[in-house]
Amino acid sequence: STLNPSFCAASVLHGRLHKFPRRTASAALLFILLKLTEKRHDIKLVALHIDNGAGEARRWAEEIATSAGVLLQIKKRNPEHTIEEDISASASAAGITAVACGKTLDDEAEAIFRAFVSGDIRSLGSGSEPEEICWIYPLETIPTTEARLYATLHFDGFFVEKEEKEKKGGDIRGIIRAYTSRHPSTLYAMYHIGRRIRSCIPDTKQ
């Protein structure tokens, strides 16, 4: 989407995988946004990190923001809120009008698959009332491997870590990867299914 004048955009730097992508994708997105806005003096770009108490994740976010030359906004995690609510509250308090998240094609496919497995299709909806902040996902059609490669190329030395595993998500990711190895278009097919579902959720009464 077009970046309008007077935009104050935040790129979310994630320490761990939650509903959003792992750290390499968020770092890649930050660099892409920097390149897109470097000649736009009417657009201010900052990085945003939700601190859940993991010192290593916070240090990583600080190092990436410093390397990119952008201001880092840090907000303490509120256990009574969802991560999205914390991000939204932090963005609103800082006068940020758009939040960019590095959700990748793999993350989207996993969210859709998990919704079907759990039977909770409504989890694909926003779950909240319309708000002033614009949420954008520029990498949602880009595979995680490509985002990781881009981040590694532009943030040399930051991404030598092993791939993280998540207890609930590990099995789902494994199933999707195994199926994709035999049917390469799987992730894109699931992405389009998700778009169709999300377009129907606001109107459904069931």
Side-chain angles (χ1 to χ4, degrees), residues 154-166:
H154 295 287
F155 291 98
D156 187 38
F158 282 99
F159 300 106
V160 204
E161 86 270 13
K162 300 181 202 174
E163 187 170 340
E164 295 177 25
K165 302 250 184 195
E166 186 191 16

Side-chain angles (χ1 to χ4, degrees), residues 135-178:
W135 292 74
I136 56 178
Y137 307 95
L139 303 183
E140 67 179 354
T141 59
I142 306 299
T144 295
T145 51
E146 291 185 26
R148 185 182 299 123
L149 175 61
Y150 197 81
T152 304
L153 288 173
H154 295 287
F155 291 98
D156 187 38
F158 282 99
F159 300 106
V160 204
E161 86 270 13
K162 300 181 202 174
E163 187 170 340
E164 295 177 25
K165 302 250 184 195
E166 186 191 16
K167 290 181 182 176
K168 289 186 178 178
D171 290 342
I172 290 178
R173 288 198 298 274
I175 292 171
I176 294 174
R177 285 173 184 164

Side-chain angles (χ1 to χ4, degrees), residues 45-63:
L45 180 65
V46 300
L48 180 61
H49 176 69
I50 303 301
D51 183 6
N52 63 358
E56 185 270 340
R58 177 169 176 158
R59 285 192 299 274
W60 174 85
E62 290 171 343
E63 289 171 358

Side-chain angles (χ1 to χ4, degrees), residues 9 37 76 86 99 118 125 128 131 136 182 187 193 200:
T37 61
K76 284 284 187 183
D86 275 339
V99 173
S118 66
S128 60
E131 50 190 326
I136 56 178
R182 299 191 300 274
L187 297 179
I193 290 172
C200 297

